[in-house]
Amino acid sequence: MRILRYVGKRLIFIVPQLFGIILVSFLLVKMIPGDPAVLMLGPFATEEQLAKLRAEMGIEGTVLDQFWIYLKNLVQGDLGTSWQTTQPVLLDLFQRFPATLELITISLFLALAIGIPLGVAAAYFKRSMVKKFSDYYGLLAGALPDFWLGLVLIFFFYTLLGWAPAPLGRLDIAIIPPTPHTNFLIIDSLIEGNWQALWSALGRLILPVVTLGLINAGPILKMTQSTMERMLESDFIRYADTCGLPRSVVIRRALRNSLPSIVTIVSVLYGFLIGGAVLVEIVFSWGGAGQYAVQGVLNADINPVLGFVLFSAIFSLVIYLIVDLIYFAIDPRIRS
Amino acid sequence: MHPEIAAATRDPAVLSARSDAILAIRGLSVSYPVYGTEAVRAIRELDLSIARGEILGLVGESGSGKTTLARAIMGLLARPGRIDAGSVTFDGRDLRAMPEDALRAIRGKDIAMVIPNPRGELDPLVTVGRQIATVARAHLDIARDKSDELALEMLKAVQIPDPKRRFNAYPHELSGGMAQRVVMAMSLVCSPKFIISDDATSGLDVTVQAQILDLLRNLVRSHQTAMMFITRDIGITAHFCDRVAVIYAGEIVELAPTVRFFENPMHPYSVMLLAAFAHNPRLREKWHKPLASQIRAGTTGCPYAPRCVHVEDQCRGTRPALLELEPGHFVRCLVPVVRPT
Amino acid sequence: MSAVLEVSGLVKHFPIAGQRAVVQAVNGVSFSVARGETVSLVGESGSGKTTVGRCVLGLITPSGGTVHFHGAPIDKRHNIRSKTLRGRLQLVFQEPAESLDPRMRIGHTIAEPLRSLGVSQAERQQRVRETITRVGLRESTLEQYPAELSAGQQQRVGIARAIITEPELIVLDEPTSALDPTARAEIIDLLIRLQQELETAYLFISHDLSTVRYVSHRVAVMYLGMIVELGSAAEIFSHPRHPYSVGLLSSVLLPNPRLKRELTVDLKGEIPSPIDLPKGCFLAGRCPFADERCRAAMPPPDDVGGGHLVHCYHHREALRGREALDYFDQFQSEAEQVLGAGRR
C-alpha cells in the first residue's frame, strides 16, 4: 500500500519536472546561434521565403511564443520535424533511442559483471594482488577516453586480427534486418526467429559493449570497493564475525548493505550514457540517439535536440523511480 | 619490603590453567605497531583464568586494554594489532594455534560476545529472528524450520514481549533495550560455554540495565556459563560478579573475590577508582594525583607510578609482580595499601 | 531571593513529517533555578530533559508555557544567541570532542564568546589566561589543539568557554557522561568549585544518579516529558515518593556489594511511545500501584512539604514499608571508612 502511494506521488511530480526540463532546455537551445531557415534554404533565399518557412517551423515571434507553439504540438504527440532527416523527430527517436539503449544496457551489465566481483574481492582481501589490480584498473578506467579504447579495439580485433566485424553500424548491410517491432535489434530478430540477423547484431555489439563496459566498470568497481570496505568495518559485520558466521554469509550481508550505493552509481551512469556514449557511437557508426542529438546541435536542427532531451529526461525519471523501488525492496528502514 | 609480600607466593591458579578453568590466558602480550616509531603495547604479559560457571568482572578506564583483551581472546584483533606472545587456552584447546576456520566454528558457538550499541551490531536489512536463526544454523547443523523455532525460543527466553511478532521485526523497529536483548539471544542461542560482555550495558538506561543484568545473570547461572564482564562501571561488578579484576595500562593490577575487593582494595589505583565513584573530594585528594600526559603500557617499572600517591623510588625501576597477598586476592604493587584489621 | 530561571507550564511537541501525530517530548514542566543553585533534571532517554534544556536557552521554541530569565521572557528574539542575553546564558555539551573545533587552538576557542561581545583584544587575552588556570589547565594548553587533550581536559576547555563571560546560568547537558570515572569526578569537583566562586546557577541535565546526588541542591525527576517528582536532593534520594523515582533509584548499582538494591517498585516493561501517550498517568502501565484512578487521568501535583512535589496518588504506599535510607549517603560513609583508613 505504502509503495503504491509513493509511486503515485512520484508519478504526479513527473509532469511538472518534465515541464521544467523542457522549458530550461528550450531556452538553452534557443541560445545556440544560427538560423535553421537560412541553413535550409541556402544563401540565395528571399526574405519572404525565409519568413514563410519560419512560420511553418514555428520559429517566429518571441521565444515564449515559440515555446507555446512547441508545447501545444508536444501535447498532441508532435515533436516537430528534423530538417536533416526530413522525418518527424518522434519517428527518428523511436529508431535511434533503442539503438543506444541496447548498447548501454548490455554495456552496463558487463560493467557490473566486472566491477562488483572485483570490488568485493578488493575490499575483502586488503593486501592482495586483487586489490592492487583493482586499484590500477580504477585508475586506468578513469583516465582512458572511451572512444580511444574503442579505436584501439577496432585496430586490434578488426584491422589486425580480423576477428571482429567492421565497425559500421548495428547490422551487416548484406543481411535483411528484421521487421522493426521494438527497434531493439536483438528483441526484433528473436521475435521473428531471424537467427542470421541476431548473430550479426550480437557480433556488432561485442566491441562497443566491451569498450563501454571496461570503462564504466571503473566507477562501479570503485564504489563497490569503498562501500564494501566501509561495511566490512561496520559494527554489525564485525559482530557477524564475532558470532562465527561463515565467510560467505558475512560477505553476502556486507554486499547487500552496499547495494544501495551500487544501484545509485549504476543509475547515474545509465542516465549519463544515453548522451555520454556518443563518441563511441560515432566510432562504431552506431546511429544512436546521442549521435542524432549532436548532429542536431551542430546544424541548428532544434527539434531533434529537444526531442532527445525530452526522451532522456523521461528515461532518467523512470530509472530513478526504479532505483527508488529497489531501495524500497532492499531497505526496511525506508519501507516503514 | 612489606612482610606480606615477602610471605606471598605466586599462585598457580593465576599462572597456569586451573583444572576447572574454561579459559586460561598466560603471558599474553598485544601491541599495535605504529608506522615509523615504537609499537604501542596494549596488553602486557597478562595472566588470567576463569572457572566454569564463574562471572569475572574486568574493570578499567578507556585505553586500559580491556576491549583489546576481549578481541585478542576471540582472535579478532582490530588491524594492525598483533599478539606478540602468550597463549589463550579455551576448554583445553590452544586458540592461538587454531586456523581461522576452526576459530570461526568456535566463535558464536562456544565463545559468544555481547557488545554495546546493540542496534549497530545488528544487520539493518535482516529481521532479528532471521539473524538469531542464522547464528544457530551456522553452528548447530539444524534445518531451517528448526533454527527458526530455536530463535523464537531464545526471544522468549530473553523476555521480549510479543516474541512472535518481534521475530519479523527489523532492528530499527526496536528500542535500545530490546535490541540488547536480541544481541543477548544471538549470543546465547548456541548455549556457549563462555561469554564475553564488552561494556554491553553501558548505553542503556538504568532501569533497563537493571532488567538486562537480572536476565543475563539468570541465563548464565542456569546454563553454568562462564562470563567475562568488561565494564567501566565498577558499581555493576559489585552486584553482578564473583571476582573482580582491575586492568590498568594493559596489566591486571588487582584481582580478588568481589566482597573482598570492596572491603579491602589494596592497589592504589583500585582505591583511587573507588574514591572517584564515592564523589568524595577529600578521599580523592588522598589517592589521586592529576596526570599531565597519557601513560603507555610497557614502561619500565610500575605503569601506575606517575599517578600513584604511594610511589617510591623502587616503583620506577622494578615492575611489580602479581602476588597473592591474602587467599585469592592478588595485587601487582610493591607498596600495597594496608588497613588496620 | 528572585529566581534566575523560571520555567512554567513548558510544553514542546515535535511534528512528525507527513503525519498528523506529534512527538510529545515535554508535557507541562515547571521549575525554577535560583542564583548559585544547581537544579538537576534526571530521567532516562525519552524523558524530555534535553528538550527542556534547549527550550530554556531559546534554541527551540516551546509549543506552550513560558521561560523567564531574570523576569524577562526567553523567546525567538531573546535567547542565547541574541545580543541582549549573549554571554549571560551558556551551554556545556556532552561530547567535549565534538563541541570543540578541531582546527582551532584552545585559546581561540575559549576567547570566542568574548569576541562576539566585543571585548578588546588585550582584555580578551587577560581573561583567557585567567580562565584557563581557573579550570585547572596550564597556560600552555592555550596553544594546543583539542586532539592533543584527554577527554577530561577537553571538557575543562568546554567549561572554560562557558564561564569566561561569567554567565548567570549554565545549562550542563550530560557534561560527564562521556568521561571515565576519575575524569568525571574531577569535572564535578571543578563545577562545584566554580559555582561557589561565581555564584552561577546550574541546570544540570543527567541520567547519572550518583553524580546528580552529589552536585544538586534540588532534583527534578522526569518521565515522558513530565516532572513526576521535584524536591531537595537529600529528600529525593532518602525519601523518593513517586514509584518511578523509587524504581529509578533502586536500579542504581553502587560500588559496594553489601548495599543491595531492594526491589520495592519493580518497573516492568517498556517506556510508552511519546507519540502515543496513555490517557492517565504515564507510568500506569508499568507501576505496581496503578489502579483505575491512575489510568483515568494524570494525577495532580501533591505538595508533601518543603517544596517537595509528587505527581502520584499512591506516593504514600510507595514510601511505606521502606526504611528512610539514603543508599548514596550510606555508600559515602562506608567508602569513607574503607578508603579513608588505608595507608601504605
Side-chain angles (χ1 to χ4, degrees):
Chain A
M1 260 345 277
R2 258 195 103 77
I3 191 157
L4 285 181
R5 220 170 44 218
Y6 176 80
V7 170
K9 241 191 222 166
R10 282 295 293 258
L11 288 177
I12 291 168
F13 277 113
I14 279 187
V15 176
Q17 277 171 333
L18 281 180
F19 178 80
I21 291 167
I22 296 168
L23 177 65
V24 170
S25 48
F26 194 87
L27 297 179
L28 286 174
V29 167
K30 281 291 167 191
M31 284 161 67
I32 302 174
D35 184 343
V38 175
L39 281 169
M40 281 169 80
L41 295 178
F44 302 112
T46 63
E47 254 329 293
E48 275 165 38
Q49 287 172 311
L50 288 173
K52 188 162 164 273
L53 183 63
R54 286 195 192 110
E56 276 169 20
M57 293 174 73
I59 52 168
E60 54 176 4
T62 64
V63 173
L64 278 181
D65 288 340
Q66 297 177 29
F67 182 60
W68 181 238
I69 295 169
Y70 185 81
L71 267 191
K72 270 200 293 198
N73 291 335
L74 177 63
V75 174
Q76 290 159 10
D78 178 9
L79 291 175
T81 312
S82 160
W83 68 263
Q84 295 178 94
T85 65
T86 66
Q87 288 201 78
V89 168
L90 198 64
L91 201 69
D92 276 345
L93 283 172
F94 274 137
Q95 280 169 10
R96 288 156 187 268
F97 226 76
T100 299
L101 281 189
E102 197 168 58
L103 173 64
I104 62 177
T105 307
I106 300 173
S107 301
L108 277 179
F109 274 113
L110 176 65
L112 283 171
I114 299 170
I116 291 184
L118 258 185
V120 169
Y124 195 81
F125 303 105
K126 275 201 160 159
R127 266 168 245 257
S128 63
M129 291 300 290
V130 184
K131 156 101 170 131
K132 277 221 178 80
F133 175 76
S134 79
D135 280 350
Y136 285 121
Y137 186 95
L139 203 68
L140 218 63
L144 288 184
D146 48 8
F147 70 89
W148 182 82
L149 181 63
L151 289 172
V152 170
L153 290 179
I154 291 171
F155 178 70
F156 275 102
F157 293 101
Y158 171 67
T159 315
L160 283 188
L161 298 169
W163 293 352
L168 296 169
R170 301 163 74 192
L171 207 60
D172 198 323
I173 23 170
I175 288 172
I176 304 156
T179 326
H181 298 279
T182 61
N183 280 313
F184 289 92
L185 271 182
I186 295 180
I187 298 175
D188 286 344
S189 38
L190 276 176
I191 291 173
E192 283 191 356
N194 186 344
W195 309 121
Q196 210 186 5
L198 179 69
W199 190 244
S200 169
L202 287 176
R204 296 270 171 141
L205 270 167
I206 291 175
L207 283 192
V209 160
V210 168
T211 306
L212 287 171
L214 283 176
I215 295 292
N216 288 290
I220 294 174
L221 162 70
K222 279 286 157 202
M223 180 60 87
T224 307
Q225 188 185 340
S226 69
T227 319
M228 272 298 278
E229 273 170 8
R230 213 176 58 235
M231 286 303 152
L232 288 170
E233 295 288 313
S234 72
D235 285 345
F236 70 89
I237 290 298
R238 271 209 331 230
Y239 193 61
D241 272 329
T242 310
C243 289
L245 296 186
R247 259 181 252 260
S248 56
V249 175
V250 174
I251 292 176
R252 209 160 56 223
R253 283 198 176 168
L255 182 59
R256 206 167 155 213
N257 277 277
S258 310
L259 276 185
S261 311
I262 300 171
V263 169
T264 305
I265 190 86
V266 169
S267 71
V268 169
L269 286 175
Y270 213 177
F272 161 77
L273 278 178
I274 291 172
V278 63
L279 292 175
V280 173
E281 286 182 357
I282 290 171
V283 165
F284 288 95
S285 312
W286 204 248
Q291 242 176 315
Y292 182 60
V294 168
Q295 284 302 321
V297 172
L298 293 177
N299 296 307
D301 197 0
I302 293 164
N303 290 333
V305 179
L306 287 174
F308 171 78
V309 171
L310 185 68
F311 261 58
S312 315
I314 294 173
F315 178 74
S316 296
L317 289 175
V318 169
I319 290 290
Y320 290 151
L321 183 64
I322 293 173
V323 165
D324 280 342
L325 293 181
I326 295 176
Y327 289 165
F328 239 83
I330 295 175
D331 196 334
R333 286 167 294 188
I334 301 175
R335 283 205 291 274
S336 60
Chain B
M1 216 185 222
H2 282 267
E4 291 98 321
I5 297 173
T9 49
R10 295 193 122 204
D11 185 280
V14 178
L15 298 175
S16 62
R18 258 157 44 178
S19 56
D20 63 338
I22 185 78
L23 183 87
I25 302 167
R26 280 189 67 184
L28 187 72
S29 290
V30 178
S31 65
Y32 291 94
V34 181
Y35 185 75
T37 173
E38 217 176 308
V40 176
R41 295 184 73 171
I43 302 282
R44 189 186 192 194
E45 294 161 38
L46 186 135
D47 298 320
L48 189 65
S49 67
I50 295 170
R52 282 170 207 279
E54 180 188 36
I55 303 180
L56 176 96
L58 185 69
V59 181
E61 298 188 284
S62 36
S64 60
K66 51 195 199 308
T67 296
T68 299
L69 176 61
R71 303 198 73 83
I73 294 170
M74 301 289 286
L76 285 170
L77 273 178
R79 261 178 256 263
R82 58 153 197 258
I83 294 178
D84 299 317
S87 68
V88 179
T89 312
F90 171 76
D91 210 8
R93 288 181 287 178
D94 182 1
L95 291 185
R96 281 199 65 202
M98 274 188 199
E100 171 63 22
D101 283 330
L103 278 176
R104 251 178 214 279
I106 286 183
R107 288 183 208 131
K109 180 172 189 296
D110 299 317
I111 306 179
M113 194 158 162
V114 197
I115 339 194
N117 175 23
R119 257 180 289 191
E121 308 300 341
L122 298 170
D123 187 332
L125 308 185
V126 183
T127 61
V128 294
R130 171 79 41 242
Q131 295 194 47
I132 301 170
T134 307
V135 176
R137 232 148 56 87
H139 294 300
L140 297 180
D141 189 31
I142 48 177
R144 190 164 188 140
D145 53 340
K146 189 82 207 338
S147 70
D148 282 1
E149 220 171 87
L150 193 58
L152 189 62
E153 245 168 64
M154 283 319 295
L155 285 176
K156 282 181 197 152
V158 295
Q159 293 171 12
I160 282 190
D162 202 356
K164 275 221 174 74
R165 194 164 63 84
R166 301 282 185 220
F167 186 96
N168 291 314
Y170 288 95
H172 73 277
E173 297 167 330
L174 304 179
S175 69
M178 207 103 85
Q180 189 67 68
R181 284 168 203 257
V182 171
V183 169
M184 273 167 54
M186 266 170 93
S187 60
L188 292 168
V189 69
C190 300
S191 304
K193 297 173 187 148
F194 180 53
I195 298 178
I196 302 174
S197 156
D198 185 3
D199 238 345
T201 58
S202 64
L204 302 174
D205 285 319
V206 275
T207 56
V208 182
Q209 173 178 284
Q211 292 171 353
I212 297 272
L213 285 176
D214 276 349
L215 186 62
L216 196 55
R217 180 170 31 207
N218 289 340
L219 291 171
V220 165
R221 291 284 190 239
S222 63
H223 286 82
Q224 271 293 298
T225 311
M227 184 154 169
M228 183 159 97
F229 192 88
I230 299 174
T231 180
R232 293 201 296 182
D233 185 352
I234 206 167
I236 297 180
T237 59
H239 303 272
F240 188 72
C241 303
D242 303 317
R243 281 195 301 163
V244 177
V246 178
I247 184 167
Y248 182 80
E251 302 184 27
I252 302 270
V253 294
E254 184 157 6
L255 171 67
T258 302
V259 173
R260 213 46 211 146
F261 175 82
F262 286 96
E263 277 174 355
N264 189 24
M266 287 159 107
H267 196 285
Y269 176 65
S270 312
V271 179
M272 197 269 286
L273 261 185
L274 286 165
F277 274 91
H279 284 301
N280 185 327
R282 205 187 56 72
L283 283 183
R284 273 220 337 286
E285 238 151 74
K286 180 174 174 184
W287 295 107
H288 179 48
K289 198 157 78 181
L291 180 72
S293 64
Q294 202 66 37
I295 296 297
R296 283 185 169 183
T299 41
T300 42
C302 173
Y304 188 61
R307 284 174 80 178
C308 185
V309 289
H310 280 188
V311 65
E312 290 177 358
D313 283 344
Q314 53 166 341
C315 300
R316 298 198 179 87
T318 328
R319 180 175 178 241
L322 190 61
L323 300 174
E324 187 170 23
L325 299 190
E326 57 180 25
H329 192 157
F330 299 83
V331 184
R332 191 187 288 282
C333 183
L334 297 174
V335 276
V337 179
V338 290
R339 290 182 182 78
T341 38
Chain C
M1 187 168 55
S2 77
V4 173
L5 180 74
E6 184 84 52
V7 176
S8 89
L10 191 73
V11 174
K12 180 67 194 178
H13 292 172
F14 291 102
I16 308 168
Q19 283 182 42
R20 209 170 308 152
V22 291
V23 178
Q24 296 163 281
V26 180
N27 302 295
V29 160
S30 306
F31 63 93
S32 65
V33 188
R35 187 179 163 86
E37 185 188 34
T38 301
V39 172
S40 290
L41 300 178
V42 300
E44 300 181 281
S45 43
S47 63
K49 53 191 194 300
T50 295
T51 308
V52 171
R54 296 173 66 83
C55 286
V56 161
L57 296 171
L59 292 170
I60 48 177
T61 314
S63 316
T66 56
V67 179
H68 283 86
F69 179 67
H70 281 298
I74 285 181
D75 52 33
K76 264 189 199 138
R77 269 178 298 151
H78 303 279
N79 55 43
I80 189 170
R81 296 198 188 104
S82 66
K83 226 174 202 155
T84 42
L85 293 177
R86 201 184 282 159
R88 297 176 65 193
L89 292 167
Q90 287 288 8
L91 174 64
V92 174
F93 298 91
Q94 173 173 7
E95 291 287 342
E98 285 167 28
S99 71
L100 303 177
D101 186 336
R103 279 171 222 87
M104 217 188 254
R105 284 183 205 279
I106 299 301
H108 203 82
T109 297
I110 296 178
E112 201 148 50
L114 290 180
R115 207 166 292 123
S116 62
L117 289 175
V119 177
S120 73
Q121 165 97 26
E123 195 191 335
R124 276 207 309 261
Q125 286 190 346
Q126 167 72 17
R127 297 252 301 260
V128 165
R129 274 200 300 275
E130 273 171 28
T131 311
I132 196 83
T133 38
R134 191 164 225 170
V135 298
L137 292 173
R138 293 206 197 97
E139 265 190 42
S140 60
T141 316
L142 294 173
E143 294 304 311
Q144 289 180 297
Y145 288 95
E148 299 170 64
L149 306 182
S150 70
Q153 289 169 323
Q154 286 170 346
Q155 194 57 297
R156 282 174 196 265
V157 171
I159 291 168
R161 180 174 59 179
I163 62 159
I164 193 161
T165 59
E166 304 201 351
E168 288 138 277
L169 175 72
I170 302 180
V171 174
L172 299 132
D173 191 357
E174 305 265 12
T176 58
S177 302
L179 303 178
D180 274 322
T182 46
R184 179 168 71 210
E186 285 170 25
I187 292 291
I188 292 301
D189 282 352
L190 173 68
L191 286 172
I192 291 173
R193 205 192 70 223
L194 289 172
Q195 186 176 52
Q196 282 161 358
E197 289 171 16
L198 303 168
E199 292 208 292
T200 321
Y202 287 161
L203 181 61
F204 192 90
I205 298 168
S206 180
H207 68 265
D208 176 6
L209 289 151
S210 64
T211 302
V212 165
R213 169 74 185 91
Y214 184 60
V215 303
S216 329
H217 300 102
R218 287 191 299 142
V219 174
V221 181
M222 289 193 69
Y223 183 68
L224 283 169
M226 293 267 304
I227 292 182
V228 295
E229 186 166 8
L230 173 71
S232 74
E235 260 298 292
I236 297 268
F237 278 82
S238 59
H239 298 95
R241 283 165 172 267
H242 195 283
Y244 178 69
S245 314
V246 178
L248 190 66
L249 287 174
S250 60
S251 300
V252 177
L253 300 173
L254 291 168
N256 184 333
R258 279 183 301 152
L259 294 176
K260 277 260 188 290
R261 67 202 174 96
E262 40 164 352
L263 272 176
T264 45
V265 176
D266 190 5
L267 296 175
K268 290 196 165 60
E270 295 266 319
I271 302 178
S273 156
I275 300 167
D276 184 24
L277 287 176
K279 192 167 62 145
C281 175
F282 298 159
L283 191 68
R286 301 175 69 192
C287 176
F289 304 107
D291 58 18
E292 278 316 304
R293 200 158 51 132
C294 303
R295 278 183 274 271
M298 173 62 74
D302 192 357
D303 191 337
V304 296
H308 187 161
L309 299 175
V310 194
H311 273 274
C312 181
Y313 292 121
H314 300 283
H315 63 82
R316 279 175 198 87
E317 291 163 58
L319 185 67
R320 193 181 310 135
R322 265 183 314 119
E323 44 185 326
L325 176 67
D326 186 341
Y327 274 102
F328 294 81
D329 241 13
Q330 193 182 342
F331 165 64
Q332 293 265 342
S333 67
E334 291 204 10
E336 179 93 44
Q337 275 172 29
V338 172
L339 307 178
R343 55 176 176 76
R344 306 163 28 181

